[in-house]
Amino acid sequence: MRRITMMAALALLPGCATGPAGHITDASHSVVGRSWHYVRTNIAGGEDEQIYVHRAAADRIEVYKMRNRCARAALVTATIDPLTGVATGFEAATVEPQAGREPYAWLTVDGNRLEARLGTGPDAQRSSATIEKTPWHDYDYDLATLSAALQLRAGSRAPFSFGMTMMWPDESGNWAIHWLGEANATFTAAEPHLGNDSLRFEVQGTAFGEAGGGPLWIDARSGTIVDAQWGRPNHHEYRDFRLRLIAQLPQGEAAWIALLRSHYEACPAEAD
């Protein structure tokens, strides 16, 4: 969170449209300007968080994460290489009224080094990690860059692998960037899942530790992630991880800004 090249080839990156329950019905349009609604939970349910993913540009993804309207919510922007989906940097911000944003954390890439900073000034928490494998994806970005990468190989049943990072408290309790390890995905079945014709992969590897990974369902035509159910959680309040596609939202920047603006519309004066 890269430089845009081969613009003619990028103009028709695979995309999708959805009907009820997130069913993907059309893979013929560009992903740029499209938005998807996911829900992150434990595999058995609980701790619901709404995850909205917006492909703002060929080289930029925005993810809006919230539990409830009128309460603190995050907006995390990734700059990516549009030919791979790999991030070259991240900026995390709080959602402010009128679709404003207040940045509070950054993750930058310098060669094979990741540099994270939480906060500003002398009290900022800083950490770093080494990228040991490419492509790589940040787990607590809720698979948004992984989905962008999979859209580039839509319909493929070939195995794939990637490295994973995650922000997680270190031994002193400070938030830090960690290199988790490698994830390896192997095709297991073509099957309907959540109303979509899906390709099911089994994902395992050192990135998941003792908790293990699990299945990943990818839309067979568009490559968009439909569902993931993995043993390792990506936020500390969870037991494990599930990310489930709910629907595709109205496309375009105006619709996205309207969604962000709605977060604080008609809220009590004391809402944070």
Side-chain angles (χ1 to χ4, degrees), residues 2-271:
R2 191 78 198 148
R3 301 291 73 83
I4 303 177
T5 59
M6 299 172 60
M7 283 305 295
L10 293 174
L12 291 176
L13 289 173
C16 65
T18 61
H23 177 59
I24 298 171
T25 58
D26 184 359
S28 64
H29 300 294
S30 169
V31 292
V32 174
R34 294 187 175 270
S35 302
W36 297 267
H37 177 197
Y38 291 86
V39 173
R40 185 207 315 131
T41 62
N42 294 305
I43 293 174
E47 300 290 347
D48 294 29
E49 183 154 336
Q50 310 304 311
I51 309 295
Y52 300 93
V53 178
H54 177 60
R55 189 64 176 267
D59 65 345
R60 191 169 78 257
I61 300 170
E62 295 188 351
V63 176
Y64 159 44
K65 310 182 185 192
M66 70 96 159
R67 291 284 179 109
N68 298 291
R69 287 185 58 253
C70 305
R72 182 182 172 91
L75 179 63
V76 186
T77 301
T79 303
I80 67 169
D81 181 339
L83 301 181
T84 65
V86 173
T88 59
F90 293 89
E91 178 188 85
T94 56
V95 177
E96 300 295 318
Q98 300 303 314
R101 61 188 74 188
E102 183 66 34
Y104 65 87
W106 298 262
L107 181 64
T108 58
V109 181
D110 183 7
N112 69 339
R113 295 291 293 172
L114 293 169
E115 303 290 341
R117 175 165 58 93
L118 177 61
T120 58
D123 295 329
Q125 297 179 26
R126 298 177 183 270
S127 60
S128 62
T130 300
I131 299 171
E132 299 179 9
K133 175 185 176 58
T134 57
W136 66 276
H137 300 285
D138 191 60
Y139 193 18
D140 53 350
Y141 200 50
D142 292 305
L143 309 188
T145 61
L146 176 60
S147 193
L150 294 174
Q151 288 164 348
L152 293 166
R153 47 164 277 156
S156 174
R157 303 184 181 191
F160 60 94
S161 64
F162 54 95
M164 288 208 316
T165 63
M166 182 167 61
M167 291 294 293
W168 199 265
D170 61 17
E171 296 81 359
S172 63
N174 292 326
W175 287 95
I177 185 67
H178 297 270
W179 179 260
L180 298 183
E182 185 173 335
N184 302 290
T186 304
F187 174 75
T188 59
E191 61 187 22
H193 188 71
L194 299 182
N196 297 278
D197 293 330
S198 301
L199 304 178
R200 177 174 173 159
F201 287 76
E202 183 66 23
V203 187
Q204 297 290 346
T206 57
F208 300 103
E210 295 182 357
L216 171 70
W217 288 267
I218 303 167
D219 181 79
R221 289 177 294 173
S222 73
T224 301
I225 289 175
V226 172
D227 193 9
Q229 300 180 27
W230 295 348
R232 183 170 196 162
N234 75 338
H235 286 74
H236 70 283
E237 66 268 34
Y238 290 82
R239 296 186 301 275
D240 43 37
F241 173 83
R242 184 178 187 188
L243 186 74
R244 173 171 53 96
L245 179 66
I246 301 301
Q248 181 165 298
L249 303 177
Q251 64 179 318
E253 191 67 15
W256 179 247
I257 294 300
L259 175 65
L260 296 177
R261 186 178 292 117
S262 71
H263 186 78
Y264 281 111
E265 284 181 346
C267 293
E270 65 274 15

